[in-house]
Amino acid sequence: MSRLPLTAAIYMALSTAALASPDDQAATEDKKAVLDTVTVTAQKRTENLQEVPISIQVLGTQKLTEMNVNDFDDYAKLLPSLSYTQGEGGGSDPYIRGVVSGGDGNHSGPSPSVGIYLDEQPVTGVGGSIEPHIYDIERVEALAGPQGTLYGASSQSGTIKIITNKPDSSSFAAGYAFEVNSISGGGDGHVAEGFLNLPLSDVAALRVVGWDKREAGWIDNVYNERTFPTSGITMNNADLVEENYNDSHTTGARAALKVDLGENWSIMPSIMTQKETTNGSFAFDPVVGDLNISRYYPESLEDKFTQVALTVTGKIGNFDLVYAFSTLDRDGKAESDYNDYGFWYDVVSGYGAYAYDNNGDYINPSQITLSEGHQTKRSHELRISSPQDERFRFIGGYFQIDQYRDIQERYMIADWYDGYEVTGWEDTIWLTKQDRRDSEQAVFGEFSFDFTDKLTATAGFRYFENDNSLRGFFGFSRGFSSQGSKPGNQRYGEAGCAFVWGSTNPANWPKFNGAPCEFIRDPDGSLGKTTKENGTLGKFNVTYKLDDTKLIYGTWSEGYRPGGINRRATLPPYQADYLTNWELGWKTSWMDNRLTFNGALFRQEWEDFQFTILGQNGLTEIKNANQARIDGLEMDVNFAATYNLQLSAGVAFYDAKLTENYCGFTDDDGNPVTDCADPEAPTGTRLPVTADFKGNLNARYTFDWNGYEPFIQGSVVYEGRRTSDLRIIEREILGDMPSYTMFDLSAGIRKDSWTLNLYVKNLFDERAEFNRFTMCAVTVCGASGLVPEYPDGQVYTVAAQPRTIGLRFSQEF
């Protein structure tokens, strides 16, 4: 049954040929079935996709439009090598080729394993990269495998490049689109977007793009009550009951000015800004009901950024020179219901006994969190490359990036006893007030030599130096950390302030950005903690052309993520982790460029990979977790069956598992321990999040009819079962994410410059799961048998957007 809708869509597409008039059929016969040539910049040169010895999946302008892509989730499902988790706030964390340990999305977590680029500028970010609206985009490139030599830190397992359409001084162009959509069981949304390409002279042009998108909600916040066992206090969420409460609104604009300075030089400044406001949670609680949740405090997220960039291109003799600069400023604010933490810790350990007011009366111990922060990122890259038609050619350059992030998080209990508040912060049980800095400097190069007209060898390197530092305050008040018979911990919180500054009087502590003090220290006694590292990455590739349309290649390559300082700065720093890749691939074209068949077979060794958990007090902890291996096979096919019928398919097979025990702790030097009696994940344990198999199939049929061009399209995506956590106990509590199959259909008509398109996403309303999580330590929130209504603990699920029907009208001039 699951194959019938796509089969029917293809059959209907083929049968529509009968509607064409004889003149239309004659015109069609003059057209050749051929695939478009796809160009990419994966090797930082403009090249034909079929001539680049890298496993790359590309979605061009036409494909992005045909598949109704306007955000990350839309294009991620079309890339078999890409998997991801989605948080309760709607943000996504991408992973390529199964290189994922889980839980990497926290703002104080490790650097991502996948690099994200917007044109020449890196926009990868700790705690989540920016997700620009996808409109007026030339293409999206997904580079699989380590890209460390050319792209550096965080392009450990691959790189995603979003390439925008550039200003063009040769002609005027403009376009716009309007879309309305409705979610099954949810609300209604819309998209409005447009672009303008305006030639200013023969050598200058301006391109401006704007968008406004409202995404409807589909999660219902339903009425519920909760009683805390220690105090007997009962709370309810009657004031917050709301249907479809996880809506979002995104507005943004992008502008670029390109000026040619003589025959060989050009300069292009650009700016992009976007603001997204999200309400509610994108997770649901299966115990409460399908797509239902019970939240007791308001939840919202505001994410706004502005990126300014400058790209200068030119020639020095026959050598191409590129300078790329960018600066990204990003602000975020969030309010979150942290009620589960208070409830479950009260159930398990009587936490509510410490929740009382100034009169000594019990109060509701549930918490809310208020977070805000500012992030800046500035990068420079200068590179030079030799002529591409020479037998020996090279590309090399210098790269520098500096990132700064200030972090503020307040965990709050209403009417909290004054003596337990963090000094100067009303109702605050825990305060994190920290500054994090990350920087990288690197020199890189790749050198290629054609031994014959068929055999080419390429060698590459990257030498890097990284710095990571953390300053500030984190922890409880001195009064709370010393309550009862528990002595104040001198290593964090206000007890740490008293220890470092030799006084119990907060007036004597030097303040840190409004926090009671700064106390995080390096082992040498200096304030702040810093870790530095350097190293060299390598790459070697051999490519052999069987003929002008077919090649095979073998590659050895390396990628890495930098180490860093734990947010709980009393823990040791975590070390860099490295990925080594051995790959055999092929790029082939057949039938006069009507068919392409590409693929790669690979093995990747992941050394001392970084693993993130929620530790004591619900704080992120990063440790190195030993070794893993990923074996895989990726293949994709594109076929112009006729001029009218285009078919494409992609598959990915992965075997990703530990090759040593994960014991859950490191030695005094931060190295992972592998010899333990009861490992948290033994050798052979499957890595989480990525399925053994993911694949997609797309079919699109167009035909001519009385001067119009109707079309019909069907697509199907399948992803297999995925585990939710690396650790065995946590995995059993959370459960696996089952396999899913999702179908999309669309049909429409085009004439001259306009297109009308009716689409259905997730046709059969599949509840495809993308994440499972708890709001506190899994073994606490997942405690079984202690709460009758939650016999297996409280586990949330993030699932795909339900069936969505949309109507889109677009026009270009």
Side-chain angles (χ1 to χ4, degrees), residues 708-729:
Y708 293 88
E709 187 180 278
F711 61 86
I712 187 168
Q713 176 175 283
S715 68
V716 58
V717 176
Y718 173 85
E719 187 167 14
R721 181 181 63 86
R722 290 138 292 141
T723 59
S724 52
D725 200 284
L726 177 68
R727 300 160 295 175
I728 300 301
I729 293 177

Side-chain angles (χ1 to χ4, degrees), residues 613 623 626 661-666 673 676 679-680:
I613 64 170
K623 300 177 181 180
N626 304 328
N661 291 335
Y662 169 56
C663 294
F665 55 93
T666 59
V673 174
C676 55
E680 295 187 21

Side-chain angles (χ1 to χ4, degrees), residues 691-753:
D692 289 343
F693 172 76
K694 181 181 178 181
N696 64 55
L697 173 65
N698 306 292
R700 183 179 178 90
Y701 189 82
T702 62
F703 62 98
D704 297 319
W705 176 66
N706 292 333
Y708 293 88
E709 187 180 278
F711 61 86
I712 187 168
Q713 176 175 283
S715 68
V716 58
V717 176
Y718 173 85
E719 187 167 14
R721 181 181 63 86
R722 290 138 292 141
T723 59
S724 52
D725 200 284
L726 177 68
R727 300 160 295 175
I728 300 301
I729 293 177
E730 284 76 4
R731 177 185 298 182
E732 290 175 350
I733 293 172
L734 294 172
D736 290 346
M737 294 176 284
S739 62
Y740 67 85
T741 305
M742 288 200 298
F743 294 84
D744 295 345
L745 291 177
S746 64
I749 191 167
R750 178 183 176 90
K751 180 175 176 59
D752 299 328
S753 64

Side-chain angles (χ1 to χ4, degrees), residues 328-486:
L328 174 69
D329 284 271
R330 186 179 187 186
D331 291 285
K333 293 182 179 180
E335 53 181 351
S336 303
D337 183 339
Y338 207 44
N339 169 72
D340 289 0
Y341 180 94
F343 175 75
W344 284 97
Y345 274 92
D346 197 21
V347 168
V348 173
S349 61
Y351 158 83
Y354 305 113
Y356 49 84
D357 60 19
N358 291 334
N359 297 321
D361 298 325
Y362 279 131
I363 58 174
N364 182 340
S366 60
Q367 297 180 25
I368 61 171
T369 64
L370 300 181
S371 307
E372 60 181 88
H374 177 72
Q375 178 184 4
T376 61
K377 179 194 297 280
R378 289 175 176 81
S379 66
H380 304 265
E381 182 171 313
L382 179 65
R383 65 177 186 268
I384 189 170
S385 55
S386 62
Q388 296 188 54
D389 56 357
E390 296 292 334
R391 187 176 183 183
F392 173 78
R393 52 199 175 274
F394 73 89
I395 182 170
Y398 171 79
F399 175 80
Q400 176 181 323
I401 189 167
D402 297 286
Q403 304 180 67
Y404 166 84
R405 184 160 191 162
D406 68 76
I407 304 165
Q408 176 180 301
E409 284 198 342
R410 298 175 65 186
Y411 294 74
M412 304 173 64
I413 298 177
D415 301 322
W416 181 245
Y417 167 53
D418 291 350
Y420 287 172
E421 295 174 350
V422 175
T423 300
W425 297 79
E426 183 180 6
D427 289 343
T428 301
I429 178 175
W430 179 285
L431 175 68
T432 299
K433 190 73 171 174
Q434 298 177 340
D435 287 347
R436 171 174 173 161
R437 296 177 184 270
D438 300 87
S439 65
E440 178 193 12
Q441 299 82 40
V443 292
F444 61 89
E446 286 195 358
F447 309 87
S448 298
F449 182 72
D450 298 331
F451 288 96
T452 68
D453 59 353
K454 294 181 178 294
L455 180 64
T456 300
T458 298
F461 78 96
R462 188 182 191 95
Y463 174 78
F464 62 86
E465 295 180 349
N466 288 325
D467 293 282
N468 178 279
S469 65
L470 188 71
R471 300 181 59 187
F473 174 95
F474 69 98
F476 300 112
S477 71
R478 183 168 175 80
F480 183 68
S481 61
S482 302
Q483 39 73 28
S485 60
K486 300 178 182 179

Side-chain angles (χ1 to χ4, degrees), residues 489-744:
N489 191 319
Q490 295 179 341
R491 303 184 66 189
Y492 65 88
E494 293 195 45
C497 294
F499 176 76
V500 169
W501 299 107
S503 172
T504 58
N505 184 356
N508 296 327
W509 303 337
K511 301 299 184 286
F512 178 82
N513 295 344
C517 81
E518 176 182 1
F519 65 81
I520 298 174
R521 311 192 77 148
D522 256 334
D524 63 8
S526 59
L527 286 172
K529 296 191 73 171
T530 301
T531 181
K532 298 182 179 181
E533 55 192 355
N534 60 71
T536 302
L537 302 172
K539 173 184 176 180
F540 186 74
N541 170 272
V542 176
T543 301
Y544 185 78
K545 293 184 178 179
L546 301 173
D547 57 38
D548 290 341
T549 61
K550 302 173 187 65
L551 64 83
I552 57 175
Y553 67 87
T555 298
W556 168 85
S557 57
E558 294 180 308
Y560 87 110
R561 286 189 298 179
I565 306 296
N566 269 287
R567 172 185 178 189
R568 186 192 297 277
T570 52
L571 296 174
Y574 53 96
Q575 303 172 355
D577 59 2
Y578 292 84
L579 186 72
T580 303
N581 175 60
W582 293 267
E583 181 172 333
L584 178 65
W586 62 92
K587 296 281 184 77
T588 63
S589 298
W590 306 80
M591 302 171 62
D592 294 327
N593 199 34
R594 289 179 56 193
L595 172 70
T596 62
F597 174 46
N598 303 332
L601 180 69
F602 64 88
R603 165 166 288 186
Q604 297 182 146
E605 301 284 353
W606 198 7
E607 180 183 355
D608 295 342
F609 65 84
Q610 297 165 10
F611 184 56
T612 306
I613 64 170
L614 282 180
Q616 185 182 6
N617 305 124
L619 292 187
T620 301
E621 296 181 4
I622 306 126
K623 300 177 181 180
N624 292 90
N626 304 328
Q627 324 303 320
R629 183 174 66 218
I630 303 102
D631 294 326
L633 171 64
E634 299 164 347
M635 296 181 291
D636 64 79
V637 176
N638 292 278
F639 180 41
T642 67
Y643 171 77
N644 308 77
L645 179 61
Q646 298 277 330
L647 302 172
S648 63
V651 294
F653 301 86
Y654 299 117
D655 180 19
K657 59 188 178 184
L658 290 180
T659 54
E660 290 184 353
N661 291 335
Y662 169 56
C663 294
F665 55 93
T666 59
D667 61 22
D668 293 339
D669 296 323
N671 299 308
V673 174
T674 61
D675 186 11
C676 55
D678 189 20
E680 295 187 21
T683 299
T685 298
R686 177 177 168 182
L687 298 184
V689 176
T690 300
D692 289 343
F693 172 76
K694 181 181 178 181
N696 64 55
L697 173 65
N698 306 292
R700 183 179 178 90
Y701 189 82
T702 62
F703 62 98
D704 297 319
W705 176 66
N706 292 333
Y708 293 88
E709 187 180 278
F711 61 86
I712 187 168
Q713 176 175 283
S715 68
V716 58
V717 176
Y718 173 85
E719 187 167 14
R721 181 181 63 86
R722 290 138 292 141
T723 59
S724 52
D725 200 284
L726 177 68
R727 300 160 295 175
I728 300 301
I729 293 177
E730 284 76 4
R731 177 185 298 182
E732 290 175 350
I733 293 172
L734 294 172
D736 290 346
M737 294 176 284
S739 62
Y740 67 85
T741 305
M742 288 200 298
F743 294 84
D744 295 345

